Amino acid sequence: IVDVLVPRREKLAAFLKKNSIGSHPSYPALHSQPAYAPQGGASAGKPAFPVATRIARELLWLPSFVTLTENQICYICRKIKSFYASKN
């Protein structure tokens, strides 16, 4: 699994999909799940774990498997670079 923290995660994921590159958001922060709600809490309307909340919002899984070729890796990297080079 290749996890990357990225700004504008949803827009990048949509861009990658348009370019035939699979990706998906990471799991939500554990404290935001109903089973953990009693432990997570919040104070004054702020998340109890702001760093975990931010990371969960920005984490994107990129393709990673043993048969991924160097050309495919380069293609993925070029597309990510082009996304951030443009003003999306």
Side-chain angles (χ1 to χ4, degrees), residues 2-20:
V2 175
D3 300 327
V4 292
L5 288 171
V6 295
R8 303 188 332 263
R9 177 183 72 180
E10 284 73 23
K11 287 187 176 191
L12 174 59
F15 175 81
L16 293 174
K17 185 176 181 177
K18 286 181 189 176
N19 287 279
S20 302

PDB file of all heavy atoms in Angstrom, residues 2-20:
ATOM      1  N   VAL A   2       0.574   2.154  -0.876  1.00  0.00           N
ATOM      2  CA  VAL A   2       1.289   3.424  -0.907  1.00  0.00           C
ATOM      3  C   VAL A   2       0.310   4.499  -0.463  1.00  0.00           C
ATOM      4  O   VAL A   2      -0.684   4.774  -1.126  1.00  0.00           O
ATOM      5  CB  VAL A   2       1.829   3.740  -2.324  1.00  0.00           C
ATOM      6  CG1 VAL A   2       2.456   5.110  -2.358  1.00  0.00           C
ATOM      7  CG2 VAL A   2       2.817   2.677  -2.762  1.00  0.00           C
ATOM      8  N   ASP A   3       0.569   5.064   0.695  1.00  0.00           N
ATOM      9  CA  ASP A   3      -0.264   6.141   1.236  1.00  0.00           C
ATOM     10  C   ASP A   3       0.472   7.453   1.043  1.00  0.00           C
ATOM     11  O   ASP A   3       1.666   7.541   1.333  1.00  0.00           O
ATOM     12  CB  ASP A   3      -0.499   5.963   2.733  1.00  0.00           C
ATOM     13  CG  ASP A   3      -1.193   4.669   3.075  1.00  0.00           C
ATOM     14  OD1 ASP A   3      -2.016   4.215   2.269  1.00  0.00           O
ATOM     15  OD2 ASP A   3      -0.918   4.124   4.152  1.00  0.00           O
ATOM     16  N   VAL A   4      -0.238   8.450   0.575  1.00  0.00           N
ATOM     17  CA  VAL A   4       0.350   9.776   0.444  1.00  0.00           C
ATOM     18  C   VAL A   4      -0.595  10.808   1.038  1.00  0.00           C
ATOM     19  O   VAL A   4      -1.813  10.695   0.914  1.00  0.00           O
ATOM     20  CB  VAL A   4       0.673  10.133  -1.028  1.00  0.00           C
ATOM     21  CG1 VAL A   4       1.804   9.275  -1.562  1.00  0.00           C
ATOM     22  CG2 VAL A   4      -0.541   9.992  -1.908  1.00  0.00           C
ATOM     23  N   LEU A   5      -0.035  11.787   1.707  1.00  0.00           N
ATOM     24  CA  LEU A   5      -0.819  12.905   2.218  1.00  0.00           C
ATOM     25  C   LEU A   5      -0.832  13.966   1.129  1.00  0.00           C
ATOM     26  O   LEU A   5       0.233  14.436   0.715  1.00  0.00           O
ATOM     27  CB  LEU A   5      -0.197  13.478   3.495  1.00  0.00           C
ATOM     28  CG  LEU A   5      -0.329  12.614   4.733  1.00  0.00           C
ATOM     29  CD1 LEU A   5       0.516  13.177   5.863  1.00  0.00           C
ATOM     30  CD2 LEU A   5      -1.765  12.482   5.147  1.00  0.00           C
ATOM     31  N   VAL A   6      -2.015  14.318   0.670  1.00  0.00           N
ATOM     32  CA  VAL A   6      -2.113  15.243  -0.455  1.00  0.00           C
ATOM     33  C   VAL A   6      -3.168  16.313  -0.217  1.00  0.00           C
ATOM     34  O   VAL A   6      -4.230  16.034   0.322  1.00  0.00           O
ATOM     35  CB  VAL A   6      -2.438  14.496  -1.772  1.00  0.00           C
ATOM     36  CG1 VAL A   6      -1.302  13.581  -2.163  1.00  0.00           C
ATOM     37  CG2 VAL A   6      -3.726  13.711  -1.669  1.00  0.00           C
ATOM     38  N   PRO A   7      -2.874  17.540  -0.614  1.00  0.00           N
ATOM     39  CA  PRO A   7      -3.919  18.551  -0.621  1.00  0.00           C
ATOM     40  C   PRO A   7      -4.880  18.255  -1.777  1.00  0.00           C
ATOM     41  O   PRO A   7      -4.487  17.675  -2.780  1.00  0.00           O
ATOM     42  CB  PRO A   7      -3.176  19.863  -0.826  1.00  0.00           C
ATOM     43  CG  PRO A   7      -1.833  19.506  -1.340  1.00  0.00           C
ATOM     44  CD  PRO A   7      -1.576  18.075  -0.991  1.00  0.00           C
ATOM     45  N   ARG A   8      -6.130  18.638  -1.617  1.00  0.00           N
ATOM     46  CA  ARG A   8      -7.163  18.476  -2.653  1.00  0.00           C
ATOM     47  C   ARG A   8      -7.317  17.006  -3.065  1.00  0.00           C
ATOM     48  O   ARG A   8      -7.362  16.661  -4.236  1.00  0.00           O
ATOM     49  CB  ARG A   8      -6.864  19.383  -3.847  1.00  0.00           C
ATOM     50  CG  ARG A   8      -6.755  20.832  -3.441  1.00  0.00           C
ATOM     51  CD  ARG A   8      -6.652  21.840  -4.553  1.00  0.00           C
ATOM     52  NE  ARG A   8      -6.067  21.467  -5.797  1.00  0.00           N
ATOM     53  CZ  ARG A   8      -4.801  21.699  -6.147  1.00  0.00           C
ATOM     54  NH1 ARG A   8      -3.990  22.303  -5.315  1.00  0.00           N
ATOM     55  NH2 ARG A   8      -4.352  21.351  -7.332  1.00  0.00           N
ATOM     56  N   ARG A   9      -7.381  16.141  -2.062  1.00  0.00           N
ATOM     57  CA  ARG A   9      -7.421  14.698  -2.292  1.00  0.00           C
ATOM     58  C   ARG A   9      -8.516  14.271  -3.244  1.00  0.00           C
ATOM     59  O   ARG A   9      -8.275  13.485  -4.163  1.00  0.00           O
ATOM     60  CB  ARG A   9      -7.588  13.973  -0.952  1.00  0.00           C
ATOM     61  CG  ARG A   9      -7.710  12.471  -1.102  1.00  0.00           C
ATOM     62  CD  ARG A   9      -7.932  11.793   0.202  1.00  0.00           C
ATOM     63  NE  ARG A   9      -9.271  12.049   0.697  1.00  0.00           N
ATOM     64  CZ  ARG A   9      -9.740  11.566   1.827  1.00  0.00           C
ATOM     65  NH1 ARG A   9      -8.976  10.821   2.592  1.00  0.00           N
ATOM     66  NH2 ARG A   9     -10.966  11.834   2.211  1.00  0.00           N
ATOM     67  N   GLU A  10      -9.749  14.763  -3.058  1.00  0.00           N
ATOM     68  CA  GLU A  10     -10.866  14.326  -3.893  1.00  0.00           C
ATOM     69  C   GLU A  10     -10.666  14.742  -5.351  1.00  0.00           C
ATOM     70  O   GLU A  10     -10.948  13.981  -6.267  1.00  0.00           O
ATOM     71  CB  GLU A  10     -12.199  14.857  -3.356  1.00  0.00           C
ATOM     72  CG  GLU A  10     -12.711  14.108  -2.126  1.00  0.00           C
ATOM     73  CD  GLU A  10     -11.929  14.410  -0.861  1.00  0.00           C
ATOM     74  OE1 GLU A  10     -11.279  15.484  -0.779  1.00  0.00           O
ATOM     75  OE2 GLU A  10     -11.929  13.553   0.046  1.00  0.00           O
ATOM     76  N   LYS A  11     -10.157  15.945  -5.555  1.00  0.00           N
ATOM     77  CA  LYS A  11      -9.901  16.404  -6.928  1.00  0.00           C
ATOM     78  C   LYS A  11      -8.784  15.589  -7.576  1.00  0.00           C
ATOM     79  O   LYS A  11      -8.870  15.247  -8.759  1.00  0.00           O
ATOM     80  CB  LYS A  11      -9.567  17.895  -6.951  1.00  0.00           C
ATOM     81  CG  LYS A  11     -10.766  18.767  -6.691  1.00  0.00           C
ATOM     82  CD  LYS A  11     -10.425  20.227  -6.882  1.00  0.00           C
ATOM     83  CE  LYS A  11     -11.692  21.055  -6.695  1.00  0.00           C
ATOM     84  NZ  LYS A  11     -11.497  22.439  -7.111  1.00  0.00           N
ATOM     85  N   LEU A  12      -7.743  15.281  -6.819  1.00  0.00           N
ATOM     86  CA  LEU A  12      -6.669  14.452  -7.360  1.00  0.00           C
ATOM     87  C   LEU A  12      -7.197  13.062  -7.694  1.00  0.00           C
ATOM     88  O   LEU A  12      -6.900  12.523  -8.766  1.00  0.00           O
ATOM     89  CB  LEU A  12      -5.498  14.351  -6.381  1.00  0.00           C
ATOM     90  CG  LEU A  12      -4.375  13.393  -6.803  1.00  0.00           C
ATOM     91  CD1 LEU A  12      -3.765  13.802  -8.143  1.00  0.00           C
ATOM     92  CD2 LEU A  12      -3.317  13.311  -5.712  1.00  0.00           C
ATOM     93  N   ALA A  13      -7.981  12.464  -6.823  1.00  0.00           N
ATOM     94  CA  ALA A  13      -8.533  11.126  -7.075  1.00  0.00           C
ATOM     95  C   ALA A  13      -9.385  11.124  -8.339  1.00  0.00           C
ATOM     96  O   ALA A  13      -9.299  10.190  -9.148  1.00  0.00           O
ATOM     97  CB  ALA A  13      -9.334  10.646  -5.876  1.00  0.00           C
ATOM     98  N   ALA A  14     -10.195  12.159  -8.538  1.00  0.00           N
ATOM     99  CA  ALA A  14     -11.026  12.250  -9.747  1.00  0.00           C
ATOM    100  C   ALA A  14     -10.143  12.396 -10.988  1.00  0.00           C
ATOM    101  O   ALA A  14     -10.411  11.768 -12.025  1.00  0.00           O
ATOM    102  CB  ALA A  14     -11.993  13.431  -9.634  1.00  0.00           C
ATOM    103  N   PHE A  15      -9.096  13.199 -10.888  1.00  0.00           N
ATOM    104  CA  PHE A  15      -8.159  13.379 -11.996  1.00  0.00           C
ATOM    105  C   PHE A  15      -7.475  12.052 -12.338  1.00  0.00           C
ATOM    106  O   PHE A  15      -7.345  11.687 -13.514  1.00  0.00           O
ATOM    107  CB  PHE A  15      -7.130  14.445 -11.626  1.00  0.00           C
ATOM    108  CG  PHE A  15      -6.045  14.638 -12.634  1.00  0.00           C
ATOM    109  CD1 PHE A  15      -6.255  15.415 -13.764  1.00  0.00           C
ATOM    110  CD2 PHE A  15      -4.798  14.055 -12.457  1.00  0.00           C
ATOM    111  CE1 PHE A  15      -5.249  15.603 -14.704  1.00  0.00           C
ATOM    112  CE2 PHE A  15      -3.781  14.229 -13.385  1.00  0.00           C
ATOM    113  CZ  PHE A  15      -4.011  15.010 -14.513  1.00  0.00           C
ATOM    114  N   LEU A  16      -7.031  11.334 -11.319  1.00  0.00           N
ATOM    115  CA  LEU A  16      -6.379  10.049 -11.555  1.00  0.00           C
ATOM    116  C   LEU A  16      -7.354   9.067 -12.215  1.00  0.00           C
ATOM    117  O   LEU A  16      -6.976   8.338 -13.138  1.00  0.00           O
ATOM    118  CB  LEU A  16      -5.829   9.478 -10.247  1.00  0.00           C
ATOM    119  CG  LEU A  16      -4.673  10.255  -9.607  1.00  0.00           C
ATOM    120  CD1 LEU A  16      -4.321   9.666  -8.247  1.00  0.00           C
ATOM    121  CD2 LEU A  16      -3.468  10.291 -10.524  1.00  0.00           C
ATOM    122  N   LYS A  17      -8.577   9.064 -11.754  1.00  0.00           N
ATOM    123  CA  LYS A  17      -9.579   8.166 -12.335  1.00  0.00           C
ATOM    124  C   LYS A  17      -9.782   8.472 -13.818  1.00  0.00           C
ATOM    125  O   LYS A  17      -9.869   7.553 -14.635  1.00  0.00           O
ATOM    126  CB  LYS A  17     -10.903   8.289 -11.581  1.00  0.00           C
ATOM    127  CG  LYS A  17     -11.952   7.315 -12.046  1.00  0.00           C
ATOM    128  CD  LYS A  17     -13.207   7.410 -11.198  1.00  0.00           C
ATOM    129  CE  LYS A  17     -14.230   6.393 -11.676  1.00  0.00           C
ATOM    130  NZ  LYS A  17     -15.419   6.410 -10.833  1.00  0.00           N
ATOM    131  N   LYS A  18      -9.857   9.754 -14.174  1.00  0.00           N
ATOM    132  CA  LYS A  18     -10.000  10.141 -15.583  1.00  0.00           C
ATOM    133  C   LYS A  18      -8.821   9.651 -16.424  1.00  0.00           C
ATOM    134  O   LYS A  18      -8.941   9.488 -17.630  1.00  0.00           O
ATOM    135  CB  LYS A  18     -10.100  11.662 -15.721  1.00  0.00           C
ATOM    136  CG  LYS A  18     -11.409  12.235 -15.285  1.00  0.00           C
ATOM    137  CD  LYS A  18     -11.398  13.745 -15.486  1.00  0.00           C
ATOM    138  CE  LYS A  18     -12.616  14.375 -14.856  1.00  0.00           C
ATOM    139  NZ  LYS A  18     -12.580  15.843 -14.947  1.00  0.00           N
ATOM    140  N   ASN A  19      -7.691   9.437 -15.764  1.00  0.00           N
ATOM    141  CA  ASN A  19      -6.492   8.974 -16.445  1.00  0.00           C
ATOM    142  C   ASN A  19      -6.228   7.486 -16.199  1.00  0.00           C
ATOM    143  O   ASN A  19      -5.093   7.021 -16.317  1.00  0.00           O
ATOM    144  CB  ASN A  19      -5.292   9.822 -16.017  1.00  0.00           C
ATOM    145  CG  ASN A  19      -5.347  11.205 -16.615  1.00  0.00           C
ATOM    146  OD1 ASN A  19      -4.974  11.391 -17.771  1.00  0.00           O
ATOM    147  ND2 ASN A  19      -5.843  12.172 -15.859  1.00  0.00           N
ATOM    148  N   SER A  20      -7.281   6.768 -15.850  1.00  0.00           N
ATOM    149  CA  SER A  20      -7.232   5.304 -15.656  1.00  0.00           C
ATOM    150  C   SER A  20      -6.265   4.859 -14.568  1.00  0.00           C
ATOM    151  O   SER A  20      -5.622   3.812 -14.673  1.00  0.00           O
ATOM    152  CB  SER A  20      -6.874   4.610 -16.975  1.00  0.00           C
ATOM    153  OG  SER A  20      -7.814   4.942 -17.962  1.00  0.00           O
TER     154      SER A  20
END
